[in-house]
Amino acid sequence: MDLLSDMVFNATFASKEIEKEKSVIVEEFKSRNDQPEVLLYDLWDSNNFNNSMGHSPIGDEVTINESSRKSLLNYYKKHYRPDNMIVTITGNTDKISKELIMKYFGKYKNEGTYTKVPFSQINPNATGKTVHKDIEQIHFYLSYPGLRALGMGKETIEVVDYILGEGMSSRLFQTVREEKGYCYSIYTQNINMEESGSYAVGCSCSPEHTHDAIKTILKEVKEVGLGKVSKKELTKAKEKFLTKTQL
């Protein structure tokens, strides 16, 4: 804890290291843009949210190159503070106490007034975004409103996800990939945040299969939404959810 608290609160931000790391992060940014599924997720976020929630966590080449030691320190002092921090410990915690945590993390003081960035709701007027790349497949998301992390029904949508899109036995995998042969990759994203949530089906397929793939996905989503789920499917999904929860 001594080492971790020292790293968190006493980082030096050496100018030479910052400049070197900026070059590394620019390369990471370019790498993300070369990965369709990663780029797709960033586009999904920017389409769903109208504030900083919609920004890529890595930024872009302009913001990376324009960042300075001063701007990083200002951000660091504003956000890396005890009243905006959660200390998480896993493993054998027999010798860990609140007093021990406070010894290393409680001695640092908050500077100034901290204003929390508000979480926005999903943009109800989102119409979709398209980026053209010279690649073989079309990658797309079909997005739906989801549930917030601490709201009612979060467990229900996780069970639904096991039925619809989680794993090789899910409806979407079995129908769109195994039965129809429209794609290789199909998956779901169930995102639960503090004030809002979203659910999406992601898929990548050849252009000639895109229309039929979307049509099949929409059909399966509608059927599950209408409750057309067998007792066997529901029981299996509940068992998977409980197993995951216990682990």
Side-chain angles (χ1 to χ4, degrees), residues 168-184 186:
M168 297 175 67
S169 62
S170 67
R171 283 197 181 189
L172 291 176
F173 189 94
Q174 287 297 317
T175 305
V176 183
R177 173 175 154 155
E178 297 299 290
E179 292 180 19
K180 305 290 186 180
Y182 292 148
C183 69
Y184 174 75
I186 186 162

Side-chain angles (χ1 to χ4, degrees), residues 183-200:
C183 69
Y184 174 75
S185 176
I186 186 162
Y187 53 94
T188 53
Q189 294 274 5
N190 181 29
I191 307 297
N192 309 114
M193 294 166 290
E194 185 177 10
E195 297 295 337
S196 62
S198 55
Y199 187 85

Side-chain angles (χ1 to χ4, degrees), residues 123 140 201:
N123 179 12
F140 64 87
V201 179

